[in-house]
Amino acid sequence: EVKDEGEVKDEGEVKDEGEPKTPAVQRLDSAELDVLREGGLIVSFFNSSATQLTYQGLAELHRHMRPKQVAVFFRNNHFSTIFRGEGGEGAAGGGLFLLVSDLGYADVREIVWESLDAVDGDIVYYDEDFRVVPLKMFAGREVTLTPTLTPTLNPRP
């Protein structure tokens, strides 16, 4: 626990009879204080970018990928195929798409691509011709998102 600048409360050790010792206060040097501050920044970054994609990163993908380009995309410890649409008014527009590779969709021919236009998991699904696939067509079957933001279709009962 960080107290005033440069002081940390040490929880102490446990005595043989199970009671903690009186907490001690120790001084930290400037390097140790920097580590504590940086650690807080890192935790804050991870909390704000839990999907391992930021809007800046999304903008960089748009900037560096050419229309009709296919590439390998690594996110959330998972490799995906990423595709950039042609641009203009075509079905794929100039958007970014990930090939849906979740085994939960192995038997769902209608869903082929998912949009990659937000970092918060707001996903739109597309067929092989980049036409939007409304999830209401799966009435009676529950669709959920896994932590990797790849859709998982729960099997029918």
Side-chain angles (χ1 to χ4, degrees):
E1 172 184 348
V2 177
K3 304 290 278 178
D4 295 325
E5 180 149 340
E7 293 184 359
V8 173
K9 179 180 175 185
D10 182 4
E11 296 300 325
E13 298 177 14
V14 177
K15 293 181 180 180
D16 290 336
E17 58 270 10
E19 294 182 22
K21 290 182 179 177
T22 306
V25 174
Q26 65 186 62
R27 292 258 179 222
L28 297 178
D29 63 30
S30 63
E32 292 169 321
L33 285 172
D34 288 343
V35 168
L36 281 176
R37 286 187 194 105
E38 289 173 7
L41 289 173
I42 292 169
V43 168
S44 175
F45 172 77
F46 283 139
N47 288 338
S48 68
S49 60
T51 64
Q52 295 184 355
L53 181 64
T54 62
Y55 281 106
Q56 179 181 351
L58 193 55
E60 289 297 313
L61 285 169
H62 276 279
R63 190 165 73 91
H64 289 286
M65 287 192 71
R66 296 179 312 279
K68 297 170 93 176
Q69 183 178 4
V70 176
V72 176
F73 183 65
F74 186 76
R75 174 180 173 202
N76 293 340
N77 211 24
H78 179 75
F79 288 101
S80 298
T81 301
I82 188 171
F83 172 75
R84 176 148 187 209
E86 298 179 43
E89 297 297 316
L96 297 172
F97 301 90
L98 297 175
L99 186 63
V100 174
S101 59
D102 190 285
L103 285 177
Y105 278 109
D107 296 326
V108 183
R109 296 179 51 141
E110 298 87 355
I111 296 179
V112 177
W113 298 98
E114 66 181 70
S115 62
L116 182 63
D117 56 6
V119 299
D120 59 2
D122 189 17
I123 298 171
V124 176
Y125 299 101
Y126 296 85
D127 67 10
E128 71 275 6
D129 294 318
F130 295 96
R131 293 182 301 242
V132 173
V133 176
L135 292 181
K136 66 183 179 186
M137 73 183 289
F138 298 103
R141 294 168 71 184
E142 184 181 338
V143 176
T144 59
L145 295 177
T146 63
T148 62
L149 299 178
T150 302
T152 300
L153 186 62
N154 297 332
R156 292 183 183 175

